[in-house]
């Protein structure tokens, strides 16, 4: 089976705002999670989106915990993968602090700056790189110096 990462990315972003798309995306990624560390990361992300769209607090927490475990497994399998680090960082950014599930933000942030600074993009295309850098600015979690490195790298690609 050929993996269409661009289609997976589009479905992921559509799933953020649509419960129906999130359910389809979750089912797809559950089936494809073993294809690569990136697929495992998107499966973990799909679980966190199911948590976002679930109304039952128990289900919300179960999906979130499971998704974060799978994102952690994906990072462990491919620690220098920019896309995997971005997925975990962006999801942890939105998790309420009182849940205590955003412990990887500093490590992911440092690795993201390192990878982008040395142009370690992997399969990340120019469009995704620019979207990532835009999100990093929006997140307010990066220093002006770090953002300058990221923006400079995104412009030179």
């Amino acid at each position: 089976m050929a993996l269409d990462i661009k289609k997976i990315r589009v479905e992921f972003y559509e799933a953020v705002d649509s419960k129906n798309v999130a359910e389809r995306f979750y089912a797809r990624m559950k089936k494809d999670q073993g294809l690569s560390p990136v697929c495992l990361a998107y499966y973990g992300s799909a679980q966190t989106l199911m948590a976002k769209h679930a109304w039952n607090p128990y289900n919300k927490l179960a999906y979130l915990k499971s998704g974060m475990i799978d994102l952690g497994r994906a990072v462990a399998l491919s620690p220098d993968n920019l896309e995997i680090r971005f997925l975990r960082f962006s999801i942890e950014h939105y998790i309420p602090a009182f849940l205590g599930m955003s412990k990887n933000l500093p490590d992911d942030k440092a690795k993201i700056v390192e990878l982008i600074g040395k142009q370690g993009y992997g399969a990340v295309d120019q469009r995704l790189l620019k979207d990532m850098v835009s999100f990093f600015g929006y997140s307010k979690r990066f220093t002006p110096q770090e953002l300058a490195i990221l923006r400079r790298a995104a412009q030179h690609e």
Side-chain angles (χ1 to χ4, degrees), residues 67-97:
M68 295 311 297
I69 288 169
D70 285 332
L71 278 162
R73 288 178 43 222
V75 169
L77 289 169
S78 190
D80 291 334
N81 185 298
L82 178 59
E83 189 163 7
I84 292 171
R85 292 288 187 147
F86 169 70
L87 286 168
R88 186 169 72 174
F89 179 89
S90 62
I91 287 165
E92 286 192 4
H93 169 76
Y94 286 110
I95 295 174

Side-chain angles (χ1 to χ4, degrees), residues 88-132:
R88 186 169 72 174
F89 179 89
S90 62
I91 287 165
E92 286 192 4
H93 169 76
Y94 286 110
I95 295 174
F98 71 85
L99 291 176
M101 298 177 84
S102 299
K103 294 181 173 91
N104 299 297
L105 283 168
D107 290 342
D108 288 344
K109 179 180 128 172
K111 181 56 86 169
I112 286 164
V113 172
E114 174 193 328
L115 290 170
I116 291 177
K118 69 178 185 181
Q119 297 183 347
Y121 309 140
V124 171
D125 60 24
Q126 183 63 22
R127 167 79 192 268
L128 180 58
L129 180 62
K130 286 186 180 206
D131 289 347
M132 285 180 179

Side-chain angles (χ1 to χ4, degrees), residues 8-156:
I8 289 171
R9 290 172 183 152
V10 168
E11 289 176 20
F12 170 73
Y13 286 108
E14 290 174 353
V16 170
D17 295 321
S18 169
K19 181 179 180 180
N20 290 336
V21 176
E23 289 170 349
R24 285 194 309 271
F25 184 66
Y26 169 76
R28 174 187 178 171
M29 296 318 302
K30 186 174 186 177
K31 180 175 59 80
D32 292 347
Q33 66 179 301
L35 295 177
S36 71
V38 171
C39 286
L40 179 59
Y42 274 103
Y43 175 57
S45 301
Q47 292 173 81
T48 66
L49 291 176
M50 292 297 290
K52 175 185 178 196
H53 295 298
W55 61 268
N56 180 309
Y58 174 80
N59 290 342
K60 277 185 173 295
L61 198 53
Y63 276 126
L64 185 58
K65 283 182 179 180
S66 181
M68 295 311 297
I69 288 169
D70 285 332
L71 278 162
R73 288 178 43 222
V75 169
L77 289 169
S78 190
D80 291 334
N81 185 298
L82 178 59
E83 189 163 7
I84 292 171
R85 292 288 187 147
F86 169 70
L87 286 168
R88 186 169 72 174
F89 179 89
S90 62
I91 287 165
E92 286 192 4
H93 169 76
Y94 286 110
I95 295 174
F98 71 85
L99 291 176
M101 298 177 84
S102 299
K103 294 181 173 91
N104 299 297
L105 283 168
D107 290 342
D108 288 344
K109 179 180 128 172
K111 181 56 86 169
I112 286 164
V113 172
E114 174 193 328
L115 290 170
I116 291 177
K118 69 178 185 181
Q119 297 183 347
Y121 309 140
V124 171
D125 60 24
Q126 183 63 22
R127 167 79 192 268
L128 180 58
L129 180 62
K130 286 186 180 206
D131 289 347
M132 285 180 179
V133 171
S134 176
F135 176 79
F136 298 144
Y138 163 81
S139 77
K140 308 268 191 260
R141 293 184 185 270
F142 289 78
T143 66
Q145 296 82 4
E146 290 167 333
L147 283 172
I149 291 168
L150 300 177
R151 288 180 177 135
R152 201 168 30 253
Q155 289 172 351
H156 286 90

